[in-house]
Amino acid sequence: MFDNLVTYHIQRSGPLPASDAVAYQYVLAASGVYLRAENRFFDALLPLARCPVRGLAPLKPHFRLKVPRLPGRLLAAVLADARQARRPDNGPPVIGLNEALYHFHHDGAVVRVTKPPQRATAASVAGVESNTPNVILDLHSHGAMRAFWSATDDADEQGFRAYGVIGRLDTRPEIRLRLGVYGYRFPLPAAALFDGTAPFMDTYGCEKQSAERKI
């Protein structure tokens, strides 16, 4: 039914032609294999496997945001709410209380943050809704733990959107972002999506994870 859901291209010469894929395209070029995908928010050409391929044209990987960057001021509101999830009745933080999930919606001009219906535990959180419109970033909290990607995150994050995790909420808050392309994952600097990250420290590049590939 969908012969062009995933397509394949060999870059022999000239500029990269328009993609004919509905989901994504594999591109073989002089320096290896790339993954190419585009939606209303992103245009990306990302390295999957680097190796010399003689006789083909070179390509340069890229990640382009097609809408204005997200306001960094929204992160302060997310942090306050995520802390509240761990502080019953505004008391001191309690170890083991719920993680929280947030969706950043972008309609091209206006950005808003929602806290969708979710199932949360001390070690995981998942949205109940499956088809939420205009979501550019899916972000969840890790409480007092550092910002890292768990095996649960890897299994859950199978769409084509940006994903984020925040951690160390009560000490020095951290943020980590990545681009998900239908199960492929690529780390992103926070500045690629946000116009500022205060009060968070961006941990991009601080920790190498074998399942992720640098853009």
Side-chain angles (χ1 to χ4, degrees):
M1 180 180 292
F2 296 102
D3 292 339
N4 63 335
L5 187 64
V6 177
T7 63
Y8 307 84
H9 173 73
I10 298 176
Q11 182 66 6
R12 300 184 186 278
S13 63
L16 193 61
S19 175
D20 60 352
V22 173
Y24 55 86
Q25 182 181 69
Y26 293 102
V27 179
L28 181 64
S31 55
V33 181
Y34 294 80
L35 185 73
R36 185 186 187 191
E38 184 174 1
N39 62 16
R40 61 172 299 184
F41 300 124
F42 315 116
D43 174 15
L45 180 69
L46 309 167
L48 282 179
R50 298 187 184 276
C51 63
V53 183
R54 296 172 184 172
L56 296 185
L59 286 176
K60 185 176 181 180
H62 66 256
F63 170 81
R64 300 189 185 110
L65 191 62
K66 297 165 65 175
V67 294
R69 287 190 297 171
L70 307 176
R73 59 180 172 77
L74 296 178
L75 290 173
V78 166
L79 176 60
D81 189 84
R83 281 173 168 168
Q84 182 60 34
R86 303 183 59 247
R87 295 177 175 181
D89 301 321
N90 293 316
V94 177
I95 295 175
L97 286 193
N98 289 348
E99 297 184 0
L101 173 67
Y102 305 89
H103 283 165
F104 287 71
H105 305 257
H106 205 316
D107 68 3
V110 177
V111 179
R112 61 189 179 92
V113 181
T114 64
K115 193 173 181 180
Q118 53 197 266
R119 294 185 297 270
T121 71
S124 68
V125 61
V128 175
E129 299 176 355
S130 58
N131 295 315
T132 308
N134 299 329
V135 175
I136 185 173
L137 171 65
D138 181 315
L139 181 143
H140 69 280
S141 64
H142 268 188
M145 297 185 294
R146 60 188 175 86
F148 70 98
W149 304 112
S150 68
T152 299
D153 297 334
D154 291 345
D156 289 345
E157 297 173 358
Q158 298 295 315
F160 182 16
R161 63 176 57 165
Y163 294 95
V165 59
I166 56 176
R168 292 180 172 157
L169 304 184
D170 302 302
T171 52
R172 189 181 183 188
E174 299 178 344
I175 186 169
R176 184 184 295 268
L177 300 180
R178 65 184 178 185
L179 179 67
V181 185
Y182 305 114
Y184 290 102
R185 300 177 292 273
F186 304 87
L188 283 176
L193 283 188
F194 286 95
D195 62 12
T197 61
F200 290 92
M201 179 186 72
D202 182 13
T203 62
Y204 174 79
C206 295
E207 181 178 329
K208 184 177 180 181
Q209 297 193 19
S210 60
E212 297 181 340
R213 302 159 180 85
K214 294 288 185 180
I215 294 176

